[in-house]
Structure formats: C-alpha cells, structure tokens
Amino acid sequence: MDDVLVTGLGALSPLGAGVDAFWRGMHAADTGPTRVPDPLAHMDHPLMYLVPEADLPDGPPERDGLPLGRGSQFALAAVREAVADAGLAASPGPDMGPDTGPGAGPGAGPGALGGGVDPRRVAVALSTGMGDTDLHEGWWTGEAPESGRWAPAFPLASVVGGWLGAQGVNTCVSNACAASGYALSVGADLIRSGEADVVIAGGAEAYSRVALACFNRLGAIDPERCRPFAVERRGTVFGEGAAVLVLESATHARARGARTVYGRLAGAGWSCDAYHATAPEPSGEQIERAMREALREAGTGAEVGTVSGTGSGGLGFVIPHGTGTELNDVVESRVLGALTPRTPLYSVKALIGHTGGAAGAFAALAASLVLHHKTLPPNVPVGERDPECGVPLPSGSAPMTGAYGLVNAYAFGGNNISLVFGEAAA
C-alpha cells in the first residue's frame, strides 16, 4: 500500500499568519486568551485565543456571488500557503493577474493548482464546527454582508475546491471537535483507495458568539486560560484559525519531485463511545480502541501494548485531545498512562486554545513540524498538575525520540479519532 505523505503545510492561528509563526510560537510557549471584541458577547467569560488583527485575511468578501465568512477566509489563507509550500501553486498567467491568491478579490483564483498535477486527481477534505456562522449571527443582529445575499453556513470545502479548480472528491466534515481528524483520515483513505493522488485536508474555525455563549451556559469555559491536566482547570477556552496539510501518495510525490516531505500519515483509528451526547465514556474503552487501531496500523507495536518512546522506531510523543474539562482530561490521562507510559505529551490547546473543528488539524500540523524538525517544543505552563492526570508534560524543549507521534481528537456524540504520524522514509 502506498504511503500517504505530508508535502505541504499552511496555518493561520492565534500565533500569527503562517507555519513559521506557528513553529516559533510553539517554542516561545507564551500565550493567553483575550476578551472578544464583540459588544453583544453578554456572557460570563467572553474569552478566546484570537487570530491577531494584523494577520486577518483581507478577503475575499465573496465567492461566486455568495458572501464568505471568517471561517472560509481563514481556510483559504491556510490552503494558499499549504499549496504553495507543496509546490502545487500555479504561476500567475496573463488572465489571472499578478496574484491568484484568495485575498486577490472575488474573481481571482480559479485553477490555482499548478505543478503539473491533474485536477481530476485532487480532492478536498476540510472540516469545521461552526463554519461561516458569523455571517448568520450578523444577519440576526442587523449586520448583514454588503451584498445582502444569503450564504450557506458550511461552504469551506466547496470554496477551496472552486478556488483550486480541484475536480476530485470535495467534502466538508462537521462532527464537532473530532472533525478535522476525520477529514485527514478521509483524505488518507481517498489516496490509499486510488481515488486521489493529492488531498487538501484540514480544518478551520472562527469566533462564533453562539458557540461561546453556549459553552458559557454549560459552565465549561475557564475564566483564565486553557489549562489541560491542571488541578485548577475549570473548563476550556476556544481558539480560532485554520490548519491545512497537503496529503499526497508517495508515488505521486516522487514522480513530480516533491521538494519537502514533513512526514507521513501512518495510521488512523475511529470509534464512538455510544454513551452520551456530551460527556466522555468514563472507562475510556473506545478512545483506547481508536488509539490502539491507529498505532497498530502504523506498526508501532500497540497490538502487544508496548509503545514506549524509548526506541528509535517507537512512539516519540503524543498530542492529546485534553481540553481542560474535568472528566475529559482524566479519562484520556488514564488511557495514555496505561497504553503509552512515559511518552511525553505536547499540548496544542494550552498554546492556542481549543479550536473546535480545526483542533485535530492543528494537532496534526504540530506533529508534522515536530517530526520534521526532530524537536519537541516546551509546553505552555498550566500550573500545578492534577494528581489524576499523571501524564508527562515537559517544560523544556528536547530532541525527539521515537519515529512516530500520536494525535488524539474527541468530540460531542462520542466521536473519537486517533492518528499516527511517522517520519518520512529516507
């Protein structure tokens, strides 16, 4: 079976625009949420990790006559970087103007794929939890887009596919906070089944007044910051942005001479708790099942329960789901303690908050960078650790041990996914 490689990365995050800014921020380990600049955010804790205003995309405001919200604009910005990073962006032609990027205006960008790739063999699998809900929230409060036209709430994948000129499978996954993990797994399946050579996969999430208000009503927002596994954690704090990976078959990447390979998506495991609409199943049986399946598929030795990070071919790190909510962190910690003892964790959510439908993609982005640079950055300090969460969260940067990284993403409805990323073959 052909390997699924990661040949391009793109990001827009609370750390700034671009993958380089994200990697620098991972090492700085110094972030915090801010109050949302929304006068209608009448809630106890209107806090969020926001994309810096200076890094917000300047458009496009619409696509094919339909207004685009913040989520779609974030997705386009990250896709633009990822496609260029992979060497798959078209050079500007005489009819395309000097800039074919998504910020160039509503008429720019069709057929943005280049690099000799067949657009019929390029698929898009993106995810979001709230999509372009900001547009609809604006209509409800008298702040409609200038065009006044209605727009769908979940156009991300179709907008990206149209801009790229991608003629393969185009799907938007929206099963809550596991969505972008599922989107990446769907992308890998499309490649392994022969349906696509290249898949643009990832997720985007933007500020939603409704989503933040609902979690405030649930009492699930921490009043200070996102503090996974901390004894004083009191909930999660949302973040926004977009993370995109270009997945590509190894055969296709070799044939076109891909310039960078960050790693490979080596294994995936899905499961469902079938237990509760919002709460995780306390035993962790189904999240363990997803982890074991992903590790088994990647060949890390999980089938016999020996997945320590001590060997050069074993598991080197885990990027947990850990949101800062009480039961979620405890259940995941117990399973990791039994399945991956002593393997260090890196918490993306402590860095940029819980990015909802984009959380799995941001975790995958971080895992790809760790594998590529062979360095595990320091965790953001979260304070005193919960004794029930006995997982290692290193406070300093360290060389990576092991050839694999495990990524977890869980969601309401009991949706679970684990992904294993591995080093690129020499």
Side-chain angles (χ1 to χ4, degrees), residues 28-70:
D30 183 17
T31 59
T34 58
R35 186 182 180 91
V36 297
D38 179 359
L40 298 179
H42 303 306
M43 54 194 82
D44 291 338
H45 306 301
L47 298 176
M48 195 163 173
Y49 294 77
L50 297 168
V51 171
E53 188 169 350
D55 294 307
L56 291 174
D58 58 2
E62 62 180 48
R63 173 78 189 168
D64 295 331
L66 294 178
L68 295 183
R70 195 173 173 107

Side-chain angles (χ1 to χ4, degrees), residues 234-255:
R234 292 171 60 188
T236 195
V237 178
F238 288 146
E240 66 173 4
V244 171
L245 287 71
V246 175
L247 303 181
E248 188 169 357
S249 77
T251 299
H252 189 269
R254 283 193 299 267

Side-chain angles (χ1 to χ4, degrees), residues 63-64 76 79 83 88-90 96 108-114 117-126 155-171 190 195-201 244-247:
R63 173 78 189 168
D64 295 331
L76 282 167
V79 167
V83 169
L88 295 175
M96 299 177 75
L113 284 170
V117 66
D118 182 351
R120 297 170 299 180
R121 303 284 301 165
V122 178
V124 177
L126 293 176
L156 275 70
S158 60
V159 166
V160 167
W163 174 70
L164 286 170
Q167 298 169 1
V169 171
N170 187 304
T171 187
L190 288 170
E195 291 289 334
D197 296 324
V198 176
V199 181
I200 311 302
V244 171
L245 287 71
V246 175
L247 303 181

Side-chain angles (χ1 to χ4, degrees), residues 5-10 19 78-91 112-116 198 246 248-263 372 424-426:
L5 306 182
V6 179
T7 58
L9 300 173
V19 170
V79 167
R80 180 182 182 181
E81 182 185 19
V83 169
D85 185 39
L88 295 175
S91 300
L113 284 170
V198 176
V246 175
E248 188 169 357
S249 77
T251 299
H252 189 269
R254 283 193 299 267
R256 72 175 182 89
R259 56 196 180 194
T260 305
V261 176
Y262 292 94
H372 182 62

Side-chain angles (χ1 to χ4, degrees), residues 317-338:
F317 62 94
V318 175
I319 299 184
H321 179 65
T323 59
T325 51
E326 184 175 356
L327 185 57
N328 183 298
D329 290 7
V330 169
V331 173
E332 187 177 15
S333 293
R334 288 174 181 165
V335 174
L336 288 172

